[in-house]
């Protein structure tokens, strides 16, 4: 949950309708600080409320407190007593469900006077007089702004000085078409902060960050600032020079797919794309386009000759001479996929490596795609397209993953996505098709599964049942939206072509001669969308006020229209297939029946039609042989729907394929996001992770929507004190007992409580223990420190506790109950301290989702889990890092001791900070181990016998039921294993490393 997957460009356009914080009565210290807030809604509200929480205090009760009309038109004000706090979080609403919460980030303000409008926060009374002139000096700034507004204002503040009075100064100096201009005095300052607006409430504030400009001439276009710029209205010589011809055209064929590559062309002002001509087959001559010096031409006719040529194109539309021709003959159509078979075996034996496929390793550059946000995000400047890694990259690096000790790989969703920024996979559009940006000839998804299995690695596929992309789900419902090639929006909408469909591999090259340079830049990277839009109202349309302007504007100043953007409240989506509301209370019933964000169109999962669509789609991947599903946003579907529909259907299909015994090995673990530090999520059992591990304990109405509400109300009334409990994770003294899974739902969980408390290992350990009696069987929990969404304690940054702390965390995860899981790169503290995700508002290279391939370039050969026989290049350096060495040995130790994999645990008779005993008994296997992490511990009341430490090899003979294990270094540990009849201790496992010695 809380994926931050929304398109930030759309968020700037659409109403801010994201999550509102849980409201309780405020409680804070006696008054000492105050803040006076001025707020101006971007559209007319008859009522304005401010909903706020002083720093360290609680939120006001929704909808907050009323604001009064200020002395100047359109503004509202409220003086707030902050007590001892020096700031607060704030959101605003009209009391009728419309909110401004800064695109889900809330507004952060301090004391004094604060002015907020259009996402911009300043510190000036908007109803006061003009600002004081800046100090003496003669610096000026000439600002050119690309605008389509009837009037444009520059609202600015020289560094160290106050802001202009809203809306700022009119940009009325003479400029050329599409541009407005203003020169302002800076005094002694050399820089300024700036925003732009149309004087009627529509703002461009650089997504809430403001623009940073300098003295001299600057241009601002599409969110891009160019300092020391050339006057865009000065005469620029016409570009009449064509690019050089592409060279070295090569082809390769795989069944009916042809992959082309060529030497990139050069141009005095830059190549913007390539035009390909294909001749042959029943289609005759066909025009194709590519933004890269590669192209994959798929689904051709079998045993047919084709000839290709390529030309380069620049921004002025100059076309190069053609390349040499290249001819190829396709082979037979590929055989029907036979599917695969999961490896099987108890999932608790595994350790899991979590990768974002598109960000891990680029095995095939021909399927790299930047998307429509490539330039504005900054990715293009870093030569880092959002879709970069692929299945071939994973196949190429299976030995790396196995070599650092992992036996399972959790990959992000594989279904075909459709969104402006969808590399992560959570904007599913065609759930029956694998995203073509991940596959290559010889490295399909099936190839990845089969090749991983051949190396003994399981594949856990991330799946999404809760939502589709904002463009619906192909085969279920795809909405038609308003659109028009009307001059303003030409860049947004593809020209309709009969028979053409969405293909994310075919991106707009941004060289349309009918568009301006700015519009071509906006269009660049956008795949074909002619299948989605219509100017005329389509037959059967249910979206209200089709095509009429709604008073809001795009960041470029273009008027937005009703039904132009998907929304649950517009009537665009049928209520039978999609829910019709925005989420308001994350712990309320609407969290399970409303949209999380505009990019996450919420399925009506209580409808049998939707259920069948999803069940049939995911059965396809079961048939391919995946080993388990990680279920995204599981908490946003009622537990009764999981228990009555999706989980039984999944199990039924598995039993049909594998039989009842092996079907149990398919591992299902759900993301039930509860970002709190307590046992139950703010007292809401329905939104607590452990709740989803249990079957229903009473019957409900046959109708699933009715049943969902009945279940919510019933369990809510039962409360936290009347939920089922379990001893499945706990030893009886020193004795393992058969677990009782009769009330198990079929869904295991990510251990959110440990995740939230991994600020240090001890904290995570004690919090995890405290929740285990409410989980059906906590030995199946997935345990991780951070992920693609959050770090511990809901941090928005990758874990930055330090190398020793990481070593300690790993030592705990690899020996305590649950299945240890590591987010890619954490083995070398990759991107530590970096913001995990910022959508397309900053380059991926600066985030926790950065490309990892540079760290694993080179060759590596794994001889076993955690064992590497050879390596070269950058990957050899990575493998030499201390945490990698630590991780390899932890994996070796865990695999050698069944008690660490599947055992129950106890802390009875154990003194020590992070210490426990574990045992697993099944058939001829009996494994008993004593563990202490980072510090010494004493174990009393244990069986007498000979114990051998798997870390140091130390042997202790116990005759009085007591053993003391000595540890004095953070991240080090002792694992004393009892030698039992038929179950000898493994002795010292592996070699000493930087922490385990």
């Amino acid at each position: 949950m809380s994926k931050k997957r929304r398109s930030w460009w759309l968020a700037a356009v659409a109403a801010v309708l994201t999550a509102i914080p849980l409201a309780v009565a405020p409680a804070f210290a006696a008054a000492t600080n105050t803040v006076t807030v001025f707020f101006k809604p971007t559209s007319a509200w008859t009522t304005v409320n401010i909903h706020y929480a002083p720093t360290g205090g609680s939120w006001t009760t929704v909808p907050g407190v009323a604001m009064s009309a200020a002395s100047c038109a359109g503004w509202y004000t409220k003086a707030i007593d902050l007590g001892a706090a020096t700031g607060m979080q704030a959101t605003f609403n009209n009391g009728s469900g419309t909110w401004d919460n800064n695109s889900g980030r809330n507004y952060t303000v301090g004391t004094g006077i604060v002015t907020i409008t259009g996402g911009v926060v300043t510190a000036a009374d908007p109803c006061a007089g003009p600002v004081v002139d800046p100090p003496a000096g003669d610096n000026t700034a000439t600002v050119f702004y690309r605008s389509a507004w009837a009037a444009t204002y520059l609202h600015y503040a020289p560094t160290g000085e106050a802001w202009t009075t809203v809306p700022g100064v009119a940009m009325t100096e003479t400029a050329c078409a599409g541009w407005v201009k203003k020169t302002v005095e800076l005094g002694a300052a050399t820089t300024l902060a700036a925003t732009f607006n149309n004087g009627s409430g529509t703002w461009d504030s650089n997504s809430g960050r403001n623009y940073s400009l300098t003295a001299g001439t600057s241009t601002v276009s599409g969110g891009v600032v160019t300092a020391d710029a050339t006057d865009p209205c000065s005469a620029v010589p016409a570009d009449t020079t064509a690019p050089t011809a592409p060279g070295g055209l090569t082809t390769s064929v795989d069944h009916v797919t042809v992959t082309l590559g060529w030497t990139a062309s050069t141009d005095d002002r830059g190549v913007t794309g390539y035009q390909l001509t294909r001749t042959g087959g029943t289609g005759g001559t066909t025009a194709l386009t590519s933004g890269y010096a590669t192209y994959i031409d798929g689904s051709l006719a079998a045993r047919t000759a084709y000839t290709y040529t390529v030309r380069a194109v620049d921004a002025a539309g100059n076309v190069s001479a053609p390349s040499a021709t290249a001819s190829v003959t396709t082979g037979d159509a590929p055989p029907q996929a036979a599917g695969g078979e999961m490896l099987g075996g108890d999932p608790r034996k595994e350790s899991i490596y979590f990768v974002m496929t598109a960000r891990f390793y680029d095995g095939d550059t021909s399927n790299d795609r930047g998307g429509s946000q490539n330039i504005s995000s900054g990715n293009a400047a870093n030569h880092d397209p959002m879709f970069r890694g692929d299945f071939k990259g994973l196949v190429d690096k299976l030995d790396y993953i196995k070599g650092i000790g992992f036996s399972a790989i959790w990959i992000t969703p594989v279904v075909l996505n459709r969104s402006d920024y969808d590399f992560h996979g959570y904007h599913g559009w065609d759930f029956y098709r694998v995203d073509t940006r991940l596959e290559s000839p010889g490295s399909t998804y099936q190839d990845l599964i089969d090749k991983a299995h051949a190396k003994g690695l399981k594949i856990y596929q991330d799946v999404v049942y809760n939502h589709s992309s904002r463009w619906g789900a192909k085969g279920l419902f795809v909405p038609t939206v308003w659109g028009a090639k009307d001059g303003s929006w030409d860049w947004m909408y593809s020209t309709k072509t009969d028979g053409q469909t969405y293909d994310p591999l075919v991106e707009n090259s941004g060289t349309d001669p009918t568009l301006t340079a700015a519009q071509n830049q906006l269009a660049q990277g956008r795949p074909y969308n002619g299948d989605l839009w219509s100017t005329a109202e389509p037959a059967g349309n249910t979206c209200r006020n089709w095509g009429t302007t709604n008073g809001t504007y795009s960041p470029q100043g273009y008027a937005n229209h009703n039904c132009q953007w998907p929304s649950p409240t517009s009537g665009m989506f049928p209520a039978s297939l999609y829910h019709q509301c925005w989420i308001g209370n994350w712990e309320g019933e609407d969290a399970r029946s409303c949209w999380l964000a505009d990019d996450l169109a919420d399925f009506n999962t209580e409808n049998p039609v939707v259920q069948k669509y999803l069940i049939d789609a995911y059965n396809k991947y079961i048939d391919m042989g995946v080993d388990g599903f990680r279920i995204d946003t599981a908490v946003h579907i009622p537990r009764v729907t999981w228990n009555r529909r999706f989980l039984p259907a999944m199990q039924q299909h598995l039993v049909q394929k594998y039989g009842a015994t092996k079907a149990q090995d398919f591992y299902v673990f759900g993301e039930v996001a509860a970002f709190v530090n307590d046992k139950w999520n703010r007292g809401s059992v329905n939104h607590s992770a452990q709740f989803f591990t249990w079957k229903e304990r009473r019957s409900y109405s046959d109708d699933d929507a009715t049943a969902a509400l009945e279940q919510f109300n019933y369990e809510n009334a039962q409360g936290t004190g009347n939920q089922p409990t379990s001893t499945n994770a706990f030893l009886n003294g020193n004795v393992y007992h058969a677990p009782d899974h009769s009330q198990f739902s079929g869904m295991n969980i990510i251990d959110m409580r440990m995740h939230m408390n991994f600020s240090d290992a001890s904290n995570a350990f004690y919090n995890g223990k405290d929740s285990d009696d409410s989980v059906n069987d906590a030995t199946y929990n997935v345990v991780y420190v951070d992920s693609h969404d959050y770090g511990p304690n809901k941090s928005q940054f990758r874990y930055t506790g330090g190398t020793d702390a990481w070593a300690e965390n790993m030592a705990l995860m690899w020996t305590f109950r649950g299945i240890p899981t590591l987010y890619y790169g954490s083995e070398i503290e990759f991107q530590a301290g970096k913001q995990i995700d910022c959508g397309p508002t900053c380059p991926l290279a600066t985030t926790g989702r950065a490309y990892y391939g540079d760290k694993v370039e080179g060759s590596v050969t794994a001889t076993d889990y955690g064992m590497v026989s050879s390596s070269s290049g950058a990957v050899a350096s990575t493998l030499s890092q201390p945490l990698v060495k630590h991780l390899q040995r932890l994996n070796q130790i865990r695999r050698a001791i069944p008690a660490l994999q599947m055992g129950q645990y106890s802390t009875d008779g154990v003194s020590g900070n992070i210490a426990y005993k574990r045992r697993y008994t099944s058939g001829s296997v009996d494994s008993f181990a004593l563990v202490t992490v980072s510090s010494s511990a004493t174990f009393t009341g244990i069986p007498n016998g000979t114990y051998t430490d798997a870390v140091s090899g130390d042997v202790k003979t116990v005759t009085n039921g007591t053993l003391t294990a000595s540890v004095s270094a953070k991240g080090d540990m002792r694992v004393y294993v009892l030698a039992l009849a038929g179950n000898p201790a493994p002795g010292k496992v592996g070699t000493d490393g930087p922490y385990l010695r």
Side-chain angles (χ1 to χ4, degrees):
M1 198 182 68
S2 296
K3 296 285 179 245
K4 293 182 284 184
R5 298 174 189 136
R6 123 187 346 260
S7 164
W8 291 103
W9 185 93
L10 182 58
V13 174
V16 278
L17 295 166
T18 50
I20 307 304
L22 180 71
V24 295
F28 43 90
T32 55
N33 297 319
T34 61
V35 59
T36 300
V37 180
F38 289 85
F39 174 73
K40 184 177 183 180
T42 55
S43 59
W45 290 356
T46 56
T47 299
V48 177
N49 300 307
I50 181 170
H51 178 49
Y52 67 94
T55 303
S58 301
W59 286 85
T60 54
T61 302
V62 172
V65 296
M67 302 184 73
S68 303
S71 60
C72 47
W75 288 91
Y76 294 78
T77 187
K78 180 67 178 179
I80 296 172
D81 195 338
L82 297 177
T86 57
M88 69 176 183
Q89 296 280 302
T91 66
F92 304 88
N93 65 87
N94 68 351
S96 301
T98 300
W99 289 78
D100 177 355
N101 61 5
N102 197 21
S103 298
R105 300 185 294 271
N106 301 335
Y107 291 97
T108 300
V109 303
T111 57
I113 294 176
V114 174
T115 302
I116 301 174
T117 187
V120 180
V121 179
T122 59
D125 184 341
C127 301
V131 299
V132 178
D133 289 336
D138 56 3
N139 294 329
T140 63
T142 300
V143 181
F144 288 87
Y145 178 73
R146 175 77 73 173
S147 175
W149 291 328
T152 304
Y153 293 84
L154 170 63
H155 179 49
Y156 71 97
T159 301
E161 302 300 320
W163 284 81
T164 55
T165 302
V166 173
V169 293
M171 303 186 72
T172 55
E173 296 176 24
T174 302
C176 52
W179 290 94
V180 292
K181 175 185 177 184
K182 184 64 179 179
T183 300
V184 297
E185 299 290 336
L186 300 182
T190 58
T191 58
L192 69 155
T195 66
F196 303 89
N197 67 89
N198 68 350
S200 300
T202 300
W203 288 77
D204 174 6
S205 62
N206 194 20
S207 299
R209 300 187 302 271
N210 302 335
Y211 290 99
S212 179
L213 307 180
T214 59
T217 300
S218 301
T219 62
V220 181
S221 177
V224 177
V225 175
T226 302
D228 297 323
T230 301
D231 184 337
C233 297
S234 62
V236 177
D239 181 6
T240 59
T241 303
T244 61
L249 179 60
T250 61
T251 62
S252 62
V253 64
D254 181 75
H255 294 289
V256 293
T257 297
V258 174
T259 300
L260 300 99
W262 56 90
T263 303
S265 299
T266 60
D267 184 74
D268 61 337
R269 300 190 189 179
V271 174
T272 56
Y274 296 90
Q275 297 175 351
L276 293 83
T277 300
R278 180 186 69 208
T279 302
T282 58
T285 299
T286 305
L288 309 166
T289 60
S290 174
Y292 303 85
T294 57
Y295 188 76
I296 297 176
D297 199 7
S299 303
L300 299 170
R303 296 183 173 274
T304 302
Y306 293 93
T307 299
Y308 295 87
T309 59
V310 185
R311 297 172 182 263
V313 182
D314 66 16
N318 298 309
V319 180
S320 75
S323 68
T325 59
S327 299
V328 66
T329 299
T330 56
D332 293 323
Q336 189 71 24
E341 184 170 320
M342 69 174 177
L343 290 177
D346 194 315
R348 295 174 296 178
K349 293 181 178 181
E350 321 305 342
S351 58
I352 303 172
Y353 192 65
F354 171 33
V355 300
M356 299 192 80
T357 306
R359 307 304 302 159
F360 184 63
Y361 186 71
D362 193 0
D364 178 5
T365 58
S366 69
N367 57 17
D368 294 358
R369 294 296 182 270
S372 63
Q373 306 297 306
N374 195 37
I375 295 174
S376 61
S377 65
N379 290 338
N382 287 320
H383 308 290
D384 184 26
M386 61 167 182
F387 264 91
R388 189 170 179 182
D390 44 41
F391 294 146
K392 188 176 188 305
L394 273 174
V395 168
D396 289 349
K397 297 305 172 184
L398 290 175
D399 269 38
Y400 170 75
I401 295 170
K402 184 172 183 176
I404 58 178
F406 292 95
S407 55
I409 309 170
W410 157 16
I411 60 173
T412 41
V414 305
V415 304
L416 182 64
N417 269 227
R418 188 166 191 175
S419 179
D420 289 333
Y421 212 57
D422 53 10
F423 65 94
H424 41 65
Y426 297 98
H427 296 159
W429 185 68
D430 189 343
F431 286 69
Y432 287 77
R433 185 180 175 191
V434 175
D435 201 304
T436 50
R437 293 166 290 188
L438 298 176
E439 293 195 306
S440 308
S443 294
T444 64
Y445 187 34
Q446 188 67 66
D447 292 326
L448 170 63
I449 295 168
D450 295 345
K451 291 175 182 179
H453 285 175
K455 290 187 179 291
L457 299 173
K458 293 182 177 181
I459 296 293
Y460 294 148
Q461 178 180 328
D462 211 323
V463 295
V464 185
Y465 286 76
N466 176 68
H467 56 263
S468 70
S469 77
R470 74 160 76 99
W471 306 119
K474 187 178 181 183
L476 181 69
F477 177 77
V478 175
T480 299
V481 298
W482 178 91
K485 295 182 74 67
D486 59 356
S488 292
W489 291 103
D490 291 5
W491 55 275
M492 173 63 75
Y493 299 111
S494 306
T495 300
K496 292 181 177 294
T497 304
D498 290 343
Q500 187 168 353
T501 58
Y502 168 69
D503 182 351
L505 285 175
V506 180
E507 294 185 341
N508 190 311
S509 63
T511 58
D512 188 338
T514 67
L515 300 180
T516 66
Q519 288 184 324
N520 263 311
Q521 186 178 76
L522 291 169
Q524 187 172 329
R526 191 175 300 281
Y528 178 77
N529 63 15
D531 57 327
L532 294 177
W533 65 272
S534 171
T535 304
E537 185 170 359
N541 168 60
T542 56
C543 186
R544 293 176 286 277
N545 303 312
W546 178 267
T548 59
T549 55
N550 58 23
T552 66
Y553 295 83
S554 76
Q556 296 77 26
Y558 307 136
N560 295 313
H561 298 250
N562 290 309
C563 307
Q564 189 173 7
W565 308 108
S567 166
T569 56
S570 65
M572 182 179 292
F573 289 81
S576 61
L577 303 178
Y578 283 87
H579 289 135
Q580 303 290 296
C581 52
W582 295 106
I583 190 172
N585 180 358
W586 289 88
E587 280 70 50
E589 197 281 329
D590 60 341
R592 307 169 325 143
S593 58
C594 295
W595 289 34
L596 307 179
D598 43 40
D599 262 332
L600 309 178
D602 201 83
F603 283 130
N604 180 359
T605 47
E606 292 69 63
N607 184 334
V609 174
V610 175
Q611 293 167 3
K612 186 177 189 309
Y613 176 85
L614 293 167
I615 289 168
D616 289 349
Y618 288 124
N619 280 347
K620 167 185 173 178
Y621 302 103
I622 291 175
D623 289 339
M624 293 177 75
V626 297
D627 301 277
F629 286 158
R630 181 268 190 182
I631 297 178
D632 179 76
T633 48
V635 69
H636 299 292
I637 295 176
R639 187 183 73 176
V640 67
T641 305
W642 285 116
N643 285 345
R644 297 206 308 194
R645 308 304 175 199
F646 294 129
L647 293 171
M650 196 184 302
Q651 190 63 24
Q652 180 183 24
H653 196 72
L654 287 161
V655 170
Q656 290 173 349
K657 181 174 175 66
Y658 295 116
T661 300
K662 188 173 181 178
Q664 299 302 315
D665 295 340
F666 189 86
Y667 184 50
V668 178
F669 58 106
E671 179 206 27
V672 182
F675 300 117
V676 293
N677 300 92
D678 51 6
K679 184 171 183 175
W680 296 97
N681 184 7
R682 296 184 177 91
S684 175
V685 295
N686 284 279
H687 299 91
S688 299
Q690 60 266 43
F691 181 77
F692 283 76
T693 65
W694 297 94
K695 290 181 177 178
E696 301 307 322
R697 47 184 172 164
R698 55 158 286 187
S699 59
Y700 300 104
S701 299
D702 291 339
D703 176 74
D704 282 355
T706 303
L709 187 57
E710 290 173 346
Q711 178 249 291
F712 179 87
N713 290 333
Y714 173 77
E715 295 292 355
N716 198 46
Q718 294 299 309
T720 61
N722 193 28
Q723 295 300 312
T725 59
S726 169
T727 61
N728 285 337
F730 306 115
L731 292 172
N732 286 333
N734 297 314
V735 178
Y736 179 89
H737 63 93
D740 177 8
H741 293 151
S742 62
Q743 297 306 307
F744 175 50
S745 66
M747 184 188 296
N748 301 289
I749 53 171
I750 295 169
D751 197 318
M752 294 302 295
R753 191 169 184 200
M754 287 193 73
H755 167 49
M756 283 291 98
N757 286 278
F758 252 118
S759 52
D760 65 81
S762 178
N763 200 38
F765 170 58
Y766 284 99
N767 276 276
K769 283 199 313 171
D770 183 52
S771 290
D772 285 352
D773 65 345
S774 60
V775 181
N776 183 270
D777 191 342
T779 66
Y780 287 85
N781 286 7
V782 161
V783 179
Y784 59 57
V785 174
D786 60 2
S787 72
H788 58 322
D789 286 330
Y790 288 104
N793 203 30
K794 206 180 181 182
S795 168
Q796 296 183 13
F797 303 91
R798 286 195 73 159
Y799 182 76
T800 186
T803 308
D804 290 353
W806 252 123
E808 184 179 56
N809 288 340
M810 290 178 181
L812 170 64
M813 289 193 292
W814 262 256
T815 57
F816 188 46
R817 58 96 186 117
I819 303 171
T821 300
L822 198 72
Y823 183 39
Y824 80 98
S826 290
E827 63 269 29
I828 60 169
E829 298 179 87
F830 181 60
Q831 300 295 90
K834 298 292 181 63
Q835 184 178 1
I836 292 175
D837 176 38
C838 62
T841 65
C842 72
L844 279 165
T846 65
T847 73
R849 299 178 174 188
Y851 177 65
Y852 193 59
D854 297 340
K855 307 297 183 182
V856 290
E857 285 285 1
S859 65
V860 56
T861 301
T863 54
D864 205 345
Y865 303 100
M867 301 178 67
V868 172
S869 62
S870 64
S871 61
S872 63
V875 70
S877 176
T878 294
L879 289 167
S880 70
Q881 299 301 306
L883 280 180
V884 174
K885 295 296 185 185
H886 184 58
L887 182 63
Q888 288 174 311
R889 194 166 184 215
L890 284 170
N891 272 308
Q892 293 170 17
I893 291 171
R894 189 174 188 272
R895 294 186 67 83
I897 304 171
L900 302 185
Q901 302 167 25
M902 301 166 287
Q904 296 164 342
Y905 76 95
S906 173
T907 56
D908 293 341
V910 180
S911 65
N913 183 30
I914 305 175
Y916 35 89
K917 49 190 177 181
R918 297 195 65 186
R919 190 168 199 161
Y920 176 74
T921 306
S922 178
S924 62
V925 176
D926 190 6
S927 176
F928 183 73
L930 309 174
V931 181
T932 185
V933 176
S934 294
S935 60
S936 300
T938 298
F939 301 84
T940 60
I942 60 174
N944 291 331
T946 301
Y947 291 77
T948 304
D949 177 26
V951 177
S952 67
D954 179 53
V955 178
K956 293 184 182 296
T957 301
V958 174
T959 59
N960 61 352
T962 300
L963 183 152
T964 296
S966 298
V967 183
S968 59
K970 192 168 187 174
D972 197 4
M973 66 179 187
R974 294 290 176 261
V975 184
Y976 281 94
V977 182
L978 175 64
L980 294 164
N983 292 273
K988 182 175 180 177
V989 178
T991 59
D992 289 351
Y995 291 98
L996 301 180
R997 54 189 183 269

